[in-house]
Each structure stands twice: as structure tokens, then as C-alpha cells.
Amino acid sequence: MGNNKSCPGQECSSRFLPAEQAEVNRLFDALSSEKLGSSASPRSFSLQALKARDHVGDALPPEMVTRLFEGMRRVDGSGKAKGPSERVSQEQFTASMSHLLKGTAEEKSLVILNMISASGGPVKARDVHKFTEDLVGSVVHVLSYRRQLRGWSQKPPPGSPSRVQVLAAQLCSEMRLQGKCPALLLGPQWLDRDCDQAVLEDWVFRAHHVATFLSLVIHQGFLLLRSSLKLATLVPERQVDPQREFASVLDVLSVIYVNSHLPQERRLSWRLLFATELHGNSFAQLCGRIAHGGPCLVLLEDSDGHVFGGFASCSWEVKPQFQGDDRCFLFSVSPRMAVYTCTGYNDHYMYLNQGQQTIPNGLGMGGQHGYFGLWIDVDFGKGHSKAKPTCTTYGSPQLSAQEDFQFQKMEVWAVGEAPKAESVRKTRSILDIDPEARALLEASGRGRHSEGLREVPDEP
């Protein structure tokens, strides 16, 4: 770790398939086609050429284009010791693309260090933090510019903290600085700490979003080797009834972050099952729309602006027992992005019940009755998140601003392909799902007007 050597241009070229290398060469030829004076090398390009409208142009923020150029011109692509040039040669360009798109954590960290530091030496944690904010901001910028948001909003709802800053803070929390606890956010006391290449290499290895975002910026910003970018698994397709306008509490960055923690087969699309904005503040509506709907994400925004939720790894069922498995997790989006996975302490992953007199009625994830990591009460609009010090099932802290909270916004998104039985689920009412509710209706002397007008649904 921390080795400043980089591979020679020919060795880096061999990492690309022949068709890929040809595409890299074509891009370099286009960038180096500007008219040059007699003293300049014909096989190199300048920062101005990279920023030109017929190349990167406005696809990336100017500060990120400059960072990328500085990173490339400081890479030793020839294998010989020499200082940085004022232009980027073909060897440097090929080596940089190889490092960023196909390289090891060590090679990526070398380019990142060059993108941050003019000397290639240690940098301060605050400089890494600023670089990370620029990188995350560039992801949003280029996805919007290339019209690849896939239905999601570029910005969070008005009044919400900048998700660029929130995600950048989460990524920087993965840096291991001497004396710093893992996953601890970088407070003012850490910003002046030195970060050498060994620290950056370890960071890139563990904070996988850094490498992913750098690849995205190259693929979409330079329009290079886009066929190798699995954008569909990075940004899921947003599926909402096109006849009804709906503004989610999530933006594209928070979606990318949460989606990256889902099982691989669940990352291609999110389908809206329930939203208070569209379906009202009703626990019965919630149960009727999410039961037997497949794996899903439950999302809340409390009255203090905290955004958090949980991933249910299997279909919800209305019953007085815990359900789910160890693929479930809790998460926070604002004011901090974090995911909390199962601890193995117990199997209280999911709970959904209503109409009972002796046990709690509501939706819960983690912990125990009366002390859930996330709880939505049957008295809709109220809930709690209890953790002293952490939730036993997920190891999560208190997710809401107040232990007992109120909310007005709730969303449930089914993730991945719809379950085969969904067509059956759509024919079932809450009275089919909850036998006690049906019995209560019949005891009051009122029958179901729809009885006899539809086929009796099969039991799940």
C-alpha cells in the first residue's frame, strides 16, 4: 500500500479489450486534435481542449474537469521518473483511464491524490472532504445533464439538508485516521489530520462508492466505454402512476445510496405501493397496499425533518408473529446517511398486525414490543424509534429526532420484480387480509356489499 509507482502505458493498455482500447484511442485523438505551436507535442491535449464544448463541455462541473486533468497530467504513464507536464500525453491518458476504470484501490488512490494535491504528497482530511463533495456533486450533475435520473429528482425537497453534503460526509466517515473510531463523522478535530496514499487506498477499498462514482463520471462525462457501466443497477427506475403527480422525500443520491445496499436482484426498479400524499393517512390503506406485495422499503419523514426507514426482505403479512430474515435492515437518509444490518441477537426483523386486543397493533422493525427500532402505530401518524444505546436486532441508534415522533409523510416502495401473486393481492381487500375486521363488520349487522360480486380470492 502507498506505492507511488504506476504501470507503464503499454501495460495499462493491455487491461482494455481491443475494442475498448480503440475507443480510448479515438477519444485521445479527438482531444489532441487542437492546433499546436511548434514547441508543443502533437500527441497531447490541454485543459482547454478537455473543457471544450465538443468534448466534456457542460457535462461535468468545471472544478471536476480541472481535477481530472490535474490527476491525469501528474500520472507517470511512461514508467520513467519525471515531473508533471502542462499537457496530458497519450501514455498518461491511457494510464489514468486504466487506473480509474479497471485499476486497483492503490492505483485509484494515486490518481485521487494527484487530483487533490499539486505535490502528490499527504493532504489534509478537509481536502479529501472537499474532493468528495465535488465528486458526489458531479454525479448528480452528469446524471441530470445526460438525462439519466430515471424519474428521480435531482434535488431533495425544499428545506432538506443538501444530500451532496450528507452523502459526502458518510463516505468520508469511512476514512481510518489515527485515533478516529470507524464510521465516525469527520468533526472539526479531524479535518487537519494528514492523509497519505496509504490512508486513501484503504478508504477507496472500503468506501466502494468512491470508485463507483469516479467510473460514472468518466463513463458519462467523457462518453467513454458506457456499455460497461451498469447504470440500471446504480439508479433504479422509478415507477409511479403517471396519472398522479408525486414528489418523493427521496432524491437521486439517497436512492443510489439505499439501492446499493439491496440484494443485487432488487436494484433495477422501485414501484410505489403506498404514499400518504396519494393514499391518505390510513393504517388500513397501508396494510391493504403492502401486504403480499413483495420485498419493499418503508420510508418516513418525521415532523422534525429526519428521513429514515427499513428494508423488508419479504412480503408483509398481517399476523401477530415476527417475520422476515437477516437480509432486512434499517437505514437513515437525513440528517445522516447510514445503513444498519442485522446483529444476530434476535430474529425480530418485521412485524405487522392490527385488530388485536392483547398485543401491539402497528408496523415494526427490530427490537421488541413497545421498544422497536422503527415503529408505526395503528393510530396512524405516530411512531417511535427506541435505542438505548442501540436496537438489539439491527444495532441502529435512534433514527427519529424524538424517541416518540409524529409524521405526515410515509412511502413504501416495492423493489425488484413484482411477485407472481401480485395479481391475486390486488383483488384482496383489507377485510380479506384481517379476519377480525371482517367479523367485527358482520357482528355490527353490516355485510360486505361487494360479496357475491367478485370471485373469492385464493388464500396466500
Side-chain angles (χ1 to χ4, degrees):
M1 291 175 61
N3 191 337
N4 283 329
K5 296 180 181 179
S6 67
C7 58
Q10 185 176 1
E11 184 179 328
C12 287
S13 299
S14 66
R15 292 182 177 176
F16 292 115
L17 297 173
E20 294 174 331
Q21 185 60 51
E23 187 174 340
V24 172
N25 291 342
R26 284 194 298 271
L27 177 56
F28 177 79
D29 290 341
L31 288 168
S32 60
S33 63
E34 60 182 331
K35 293 182 179 180
L36 305 171
S38 58
S39 61
S41 168
R43 301 298 295 167
S44 63
F45 63 85
S46 65
L47 176 60
Q48 288 68 31
L50 192 61
K51 287 184 174 181
R53 185 170 297 277
D54 53 347
H55 296 307
V56 175
D58 296 327
L60 294 173
E63 59 271 18
M64 181 51 64
V65 179
T66 301
R67 284 190 185 277
L68 287 166
F69 180 81
E70 292 298 317
M72 289 187 286
R73 79 181 184 91
R74 291 172 182 148
V75 165
D76 178 14
S78 66
K80 299 178 181 179
K82 62 180 182 179
S85 64
E86 293 303 315
R87 301 172 66 85
V88 175
S89 68
Q90 184 166 17
E91 292 77 13
Q92 289 174 317
F93 181 69
T94 300
S96 299
M97 295 300 98
S98 175
H99 288 350
L100 292 176
L101 299 179
K102 292 178 176 286
T104 63
E106 178 184 356
E107 291 166 338
K108 287 181 171 67
S109 67
L110 173 64
V111 180
I112 291 173
L113 188 60
N114 288 332
M115 292 172 72
I116 299 173
S117 169
S119 65
V123 295
K124 300 296 183 183
R126 69 172 68 253
D127 300 321
V128 180
H129 187 271
K130 180 61 172 67
F131 162 80
T132 309
E133 286 190 344
D134 288 349
L135 177 61
V136 174
S138 297
V139 169
V140 179
H141 183 103
V142 75
L143 287 175
S144 177
Y145 185 84
R146 300 295 187 200
R147 298 183 179 180
Q148 295 291 340
L149 293 173
R150 307 196 76 197
W152 299 101
S153 172
Q154 179 181 357
K155 297 180 180 180
S160 301
S162 166
R163 299 280 165 81
V164 170
Q165 294 177 349
V166 172
L167 182 50
Q170 192 283 327
L171 295 179
C172 286
S173 73
E174 297 290 336
M175 278 196 298
R176 290 183 176 177
L177 301 176
Q178 186 175 4
K180 175 183 170 293
C181 295
L184 183 69
L185 292 179
L186 288 181
Q189 71 273 27
W190 302 108
L191 294 178
D192 287 324
R193 295 292 183 93
D194 284 338
C195 300
D196 58 16
Q197 190 185 344
V199 171
L200 293 180
E201 179 183 341
D202 177 74
W203 177 54
V204 171
F205 179 78
R206 289 181 298 104
H208 64 91
H209 283 98
V210 177
T212 300
F213 289 168
L214 280 168
S215 295
L216 173 65
V217 165
I218 295 296
H219 288 307
Q220 292 292 327
F222 289 12
L223 296 179
L224 178 67
L225 304 177
R226 284 187 296 169
S227 60
S228 63
L229 174 64
K230 297 180 180 179
L231 187 62
T233 60
L234 183 68
V235 186
E237 181 185 3
R238 179 183 187 263
Q239 298 180 358
V240 179
D241 184 352
Q243 305 300 320
R244 306 184 71 176
E245 292 186 7
F246 172 69
S248 174
V249 299
L250 297 175
D251 67 326
V252 69
L253 282 180
S254 51
V255 169
I256 289 173
Y257 178 72
V258 175
N259 195 61
S260 69
H261 291 86
L262 296 177
Q264 193 74 34
E265 69 275 10
R266 296 289 168 188
R267 298 181 184 180
L268 293 177
S269 63
W270 291 17
R271 306 181 325 277
L272 186 66
L273 294 182
F274 173 84
T276 49
E277 181 180 324
L278 299 179
H279 307 118
N281 298 308
S282 167
F283 193 80
Q285 277 277 359
L286 171 67
C287 291
R289 289 184 171 275
I290 71 173
H292 307 286
C296 64
L297 290 160
V298 176
L299 185 74
L300 293 168
E301 182 180 37
D302 69 18
S303 57
D304 292 292
H306 285 215
V307 179
F308 51 92
F311 168 60
S313 60
C314 57
S315 290
W316 289 97
E317 295 183 44
V318 180
K319 61 182 182 180
Q321 292 88 31
F322 284 98
Q323 50 197 291
D325 57 39
D326 61 6
R327 294 174 298 170
C328 297
F329 59 79
L330 293 180
F331 63 88
S332 173
V333 168
S334 183
R336 179 183 180 183
M337 288 192 190
V339 164
Y340 307 98
T341 55
C342 296
T343 64
Y345 183 83
N346 58 38
D347 60 357
H348 297 175
Y349 308 115
M350 302 161 51
Y351 176 87
L352 180 64
N353 196 35
Q354 74 169 149
Q356 302 291 325
Q357 295 183 352
T358 58
I359 55 177
N361 296 308
L363 182 152
M365 296 189 70
Q368 59 189 15
H369 293 316
Y371 208 87
F372 281 92
L374 171 60
W375 173 255
I376 300 164
D377 199 81
V378 69
D379 185 7
F380 203 75
K382 297 179 181 179
H384 72 243
S385 178
K386 298 185 178 182
K388 294 187 184 300
T390 59
C391 170
T392 54
T393 310
Y394 297 109
S396 55
Q398 180 179 304
L399 301 175
S400 50
Q402 308 294 329
E403 188 175 79
D404 295 295
F405 63 84
Q406 295 185 342
F407 67 92
Q408 292 184 334
K409 294 182 179 180
M410 178 178 179
E411 303 170 14
V412 181
W413 296 86
V415 291
E417 292 185 5
K420 295 180 180 179
E422 186 174 43
S423 59
V424 174
R425 181 187 69 83
K426 288 181 178 179
T427 68
R428 295 167 64 85
S429 76
I430 188 61
L431 297 177
D432 296 318
I433 297 171
D434 186 357
E436 290 198 20
R438 183 172 67 244
L440 182 63
L441 182 69
E442 293 171 352
S444 67
R446 293 178 291 171
R448 288 190 286 177
H449 295 293
S450 62
E451 200 70 60
L453 300 179
R454 61 186 176 98
E455 295 180 2
V456 177
D458 298 330
E459 289 301 319

